[in-house]
Amino acid sequence: MSITRTLVFFVLCVAASELATNIAALSEVPLHGHSTIQYVDNPVGSSPGVVTLPSAVHHAEDRSGLADAVSSPSVSTGDHPVDGGVHPPVDPGTAGGHGGGHGEGIHVFTAEFARVEIPFIISLWIFCASLAKIGFHMAPKLSSIFPESCLLIVVGIVIGLLLFHTNSAGVSPLTPTTFFFYMLPPIILDAGYFMPNRLFFDHLGTILLFAVLGTIWNTVSIGLALWGCGLTGLYGFELPLLDTFLFSALISAVDPVAVLAVFEEIHVNEILYIVVFGESLLNDAVTVVLYNMFDAYVGMGQENIKYTDILSGFASFIVVAIGGTLIGIIWGFLTGFVTRFTNHVRVIEPIFIFVMSYLAYLNAEIFHMSGILAITFCGITMKNYVEGNISPKSHTTIKYAMKMLSSSSETIIFMFLGVNTVNDQHDWNTAFILLTILFCSVFRAIGCIVLTEVANRFRLHKLNHVEKFVMSYGGLRGAVAFALVLLVDPNKVKKQPLFVTATISVVYFTVFFQGITIKPLVKYLKVKRANKFEKTMNERLHEKLVDYTMAGMEDILGHTGNLKIRDKFKQIDNKYIRPCLIREHAAHEPKILETYSKLTMRDAMDFMRRNATSSNLTGGNSESMAVLFRNYTANNLNGSASMAQMDNGWNLDIGELAYSPSARDLSDAKVHHMLSEELWKPYRRSSRRLSYSRHAVNDHDLSSSHHVNHNMHMHIRRMVSETVRKQHSKQGGSRNSTKSVSFKPLKENGLEKKLHDDYLHAVIKEVSEAEERNTSLDNVGAQAAGSSEDLDGDGAGITFIARKASTKLKREEEDKKRLITDQVEEDDGEAHPSTPTAAEMQLPWKRDDADDMSTFAIKQSEFPLWVDNKEYNNYYSPTNTFLGELDKKKSQHPSVIDIFTREHRTADLSERGENTLSPPTSFDVTVTIPEEISKEDEEAEANQKTFTK
Amino acid sequence: MGNHSSLLLREEEIETIQQETGFTPNQIERLYSRFTSLDKGDNGFLCREDFHRIPELAINPLGDRIVNAFFCESGSEDQLNFRQFMKVLAHFRPVKKDKENKLNSREGKLRFAFQMYDTDNDEQISKEELLGVLQMMVGDNISEEQLVSIAERTIVEADKDGDQMISFQEFCTALERTDVEQKMSIRFLN
């Protein structure tokens, strides 16, 4: 089933790419490439391109400016990513037909593919490759046996075959320029940026040993062996020594792209991974040097080489390696420095990371240094500083963008490898190719065994035989070798086509044979697998302690180890580098804090997930997240049995720890808190941006308050209308009271009713403006007012104003504020009880009814959850004045927790009162719940369900 | 100096140390020369000042704790002889499968780390002790409040029996996934 689906995808991809080809053919402007892509005598040379270009010019007669535009891309083709993605031959028939087609005058409909051809084909390639990737993952069986790289190559071959048979031309989308300038950097940057620094530097010695000595050993041994076999006349032709060395230099390097592709799937333990992968990254410098060296030697000719040339070769190795690394590190520091100042323009943060690392790569290439080393070290260096500066959102962006870029270019590379295989320039020589594969495997194994012996002398963790085997088996060759062999000038090296074929064979052998078998082998040999996990706080903390301890021990022992060097670097880093590069240079151990905040975040998320209903309502809101988390930790730390409650659903109120409320009360509370958080806060009229700014990604903007608010609004509208409907159907009906706590129903006071109605009219007025539903709302009664009071912040803003507020509510913020002030003054005139009861804390709006009790008028002493958000209070909260009043009495800012814990005991009391069903006098307060409210509770519950949907 | 030191070290002393700690005689001699070079007063024992004289250790945020651990382990207040010195160092020998030794076993290593926290030797890490170490490591730039919450979080995470303390058992459980054998080993030169 799934395999058929995959097949469908393949067919789709192929069809799409064929379409592109056909369009390209129709458009009669073949892409003509830069000389670099014509590693073979391309029949579709530059001449057709030149010939056909005028036709495009002709096509756009009166747009001479455009003619330049048309011609310029094809001139710069050589540097273009998928340059010459497809090289269709000029089909005379089509060309003629098309040529005759365009006449003079204005075209109503014209197809001018030539103009968009290059970007179009690039996009199409990416599209196809990505489609293919989706296809694999639809067939889990397929992808569990074959690594993705194999499947991509197969798709590439299929496409290549199609292209080959339809056009019978040498198709070469993968040019060295494209590969090195556009496809490789994203992959390497991704590798460098997400490199586990600690691990990498811990094993740097081993990695360097393998990267430098291992690669040199491979080059020399493979070169000599191949040359030696050539002397016996096995190949049937003569192979010059230098040519052989050139070939062995490019074939001996382990390829980072292939290694990443395979090793990410087999999940071997981290040490093994970092050693093989690190080697593949760092051997680039060696490969580049050896390649250039032998390339130069081939150019000079064997007899002209002096020993100084060999010496200068080694000197250039040092320059290339150290230079590339230094350039990378410098750019890395620069990136850190630049991001220090981006806090006002968050939106461009990611671009610095990408552009500056790319610049590092290109900068190294200017001086013919190792670009791979440069970009790797740029990533490694910048990471720590950049992460301290950028916002979490930029961090996510960078992470995903980087992964996306690298995985798509990896996909394309493998696909192009497949496509490039299909051409008629192959020069197959069985002996040479088989020997190459044999030598590559054998010398790699020998090199691994010898070098691990050397490395083990200096290593704490000795590499065992299984690991040695995996290391040698994981030495995959890939696209880097292929791109390099394409760069070889066939005029200088006669056997270049053979080298190309041999390289492809080796790549196929390693990617297919080794790539497929390594997974079962790793399983069979029981190689220690990587166990990926996030560090717990304990692990992080204790490991840091151990690090310091070990550094101290090394000091005492007086010998310089890894830890001591790290310690030294850390000191310098903390003292000089970090203050320069990081905006808020806070602590010496950022990792501890990082782990802490990460775990905290995760806890909060867990909490939200477990309490899915409430997370729906408050999600995406940082302030309420904070509240949630605080409640969560507070509960945890108290070690009370409140966990059960929390699992139960949605009790977010810390004051209820000892108060076991009924389900309905809880849902009430939830609605209330949801409303108070979501609806009051977002109505910061004054803060709303008046000028539209497209690029602002303030956290404020992203908090989606307006958006959520709107949704909430719609919910409330629905809720109100539902209330109406239910009200109609339920009128006079008895209610199921089993769920409710034994609140005594009280008769509604006339005054109260009137007040509600007063307010309701105001609300209705507001609602009707928007929805014209005022008639039905009239019937809703006080209970609807109860909710819409809270909900319809637009009209009322704040619940407790609305209660007594003037009938005319003004929208202006200033007016509201004035109202509140009035309100507060009024309230102050009343007598206040010291604490509200549990039910009040739970269901704060019930306090409204306390007004009925002349003896127990209650001051509004419970605040919405955002109350302790100082920023909000100071700048936005209309209740600022109210809080100001409170501050006079109690100089400290009241936090919700404070209020709750202080009033904990009262809650206990009242609860007990309820349970015994013998209410003490003070219990009166809790009892004052009008019938309608509890009815409303039910409504709220019902609505809750709609919400959660 | 080296000559001098090997003269002072008698054969049977080497043997006892070797049996006790598992160091090879070669390593013992090497470490003895380090010991004597640290021992500025040529007293045959190290005192705290000798340790504090090591420049790198002086700036190590946990330097004091490390020195304390040496003295704590040996039980003496301000004198540390070579045998005690070696016993502490033996914790950091790499674990070898064939040669079992109590000092450098996983538990031995963990025990040492645990004692770095446990200043009052009650076999429990309290919040205060954790906070003390945190303050040393993280520094002053961070608010006390934040450190307290980190410490609380750490304890809650590891605390299985709910006594707000981390016992040694809980400590070991918390570090179950960590490669302590690897992390707490030093490659002693031969």
Side-chain angles (χ1 to χ4, degrees), chain A residues 601 604-605 607-608 618-631 677:
Chain A
M601 198 65 198
M605 296 300 264
F607 179 75
M608 300 284 277
T618 52
N621 196 313
S622 51
E623 280 92 350
S624 45
M625 277 286 274
V627 171
L628 276 176
F629 176 65
R630 202 184 42 224
N631 286 341
E677 281 177 18

Side-chain angles (χ1 to χ4, degrees), chain A residues 303-591:
Chain A
E303 48 293 335
N304 301 329
I305 298 170
K306 295 182 213 110
Y307 68 96
T308 48
D309 294 323
I310 295 169
L311 279 183
S312 64
F314 281 101
S316 84
F317 164 70
I318 293 170
V319 171
V320 165
I322 307 283
T325 311
L326 273 182
I327 287 176
I329 290 173
I330 290 168
W331 276 101
F333 282 136
L334 271 180
T335 317
F337 188 67
V338 169
T339 51
R340 195 185 166 176
F341 304 102
T342 53
N343 52 331
H344 298 300
V345 267
R346 292 284 194 204
V347 76
I348 54 165
E349 270 168 356
I351 208 70
F352 282 119
I353 280 83
F354 290 108
V355 166
M356 292 183 79
S357 47
Y358 191 49
L359 280 173
Y361 183 83
L362 296 178
N363 198 343
E365 290 290 325
I366 292 175
F367 303 112
H368 284 283
M369 288 165 181
S370 166
I372 292 185
L373 277 184
I375 201 165
T376 307
F377 278 94
C378 184
I380 289 176
T381 315
M382 75 161 75
K383 174 169 57 183
N384 281 329
Y385 307 111
V386 162
E387 308 241 307
N389 285 332
I390 60 173
S391 73
K393 284 180 182 95
S394 302
H395 176 74
T396 314
T397 313
I398 291 167
K399 189 170 155 190
Y400 279 92
M402 220 174 252
K403 292 283 173 206
M404 187 191 75
L405 283 177
S406 72
S407 91
S408 47
S409 54
E410 191 188 295
T411 311
I412 294 171
I413 285 173
F414 281 117
M415 210 156 134
F416 280 181
L417 257 179
V419 174
N420 271 31
T421 316
V422 188
N423 63 36
D424 47 8
Q425 267 77 42
H426 284 302
D427 180 359
W428 182 268
N429 184 312
T430 317
F432 181 77
I433 287 166
L434 284 183
L435 280 175
T436 309
I437 293 174
L438 180 76
F439 290 147
C440 276
S441 314
V442 169
F443 288 121
R444 166 90 190 161
I446 294 174
C448 270
I449 291 167
V450 173
L451 288 175
T452 39
E453 283 309 317
V454 178
N456 273 347
R457 290 179 156 268
F458 302 99
R459 284 177 62 88
L460 201 61
H461 170 92
K462 312 283 186 217
L463 295 163
N464 59 30
H465 294 300
V466 173
E467 283 167 329
K468 276 180 218 169
F469 172 76
V470 175
M471 279 168 68
S472 69
Y473 208 72
L476 306 176
R477 317 300 208 266
V480 172
F482 183 69
L484 281 176
V485 80
L486 293 189
L487 271 179
V488 175
D489 186 359
N491 297 324
K492 276 199 282 184
V493 181
K494 291 284 173 298
K495 280 291 164 191
Q496 195 257 7
L498 174 66
F499 289 164
V500 174
T501 312
T503 308
I504 289 179
S505 312
V506 173
V507 170
Y508 276 33
F509 176 77
T510 55
V511 170
F512 277 88
F513 182 72
Q514 298 186 352
I516 292 172
T517 49
I518 198 167
K519 214 170 177 179
L521 273 174
V522 161
K523 232 180 235 164
Y524 176 73
L525 293 171
K526 294 194 183 65
V527 178
K528 220 164 92 194
R529 296 301 190 91
N531 39 347
K532 284 227 167 101
F533 53 79
E534 213 171 312
K535 280 199 163 81
T536 63
M537 203 61 229
N538 273 286
E539 283 167 347
R540 177 66 83 190
L541 195 58
H542 303 328
E543 278 170 21
K544 283 282 168 219
L545 174 104
V546 166
D547 280 353
Y548 277 119
T549 313
M550 297 315 287
M553 286 298 160
E554 284 188 352
D555 296 335
I556 290 172
L557 289 175
H559 71 99
T560 314
N562 258 344
L563 287 155
K564 200 169 161 186
I565 296 170
R566 179 178 312 115
D567 212 41
K568 266 259 161 61
F569 174 74
K570 204 181 246 165
Q571 269 154 17
I572 295 171
D573 191 39
N574 274 325
K575 214 168 182 179
Y576 305 108
I577 305 176
R578 282 185 164 267
C580 283
L581 299 185
I582 292 184
R583 199 179 319 118
E584 284 150 1
H585 171 60
H588 285 308
E589 285 296 338
K591 287 281 183 195

Side-chain angles (χ1 to χ4, degrees), chain A residues 538 542-543 556 586 603 637, chain B residues 34 117 141 153 156-157 178:
Chain A
N538 273 286
H542 303 328
E543 278 170 21
I556 290 172
D603 283 349
L637 293 176
Chain B
R34 178 67 187 168
Y117 287 104
N141 304 16
R153 159 88 221 208
V156 166
E157 196 181 80
T178 312

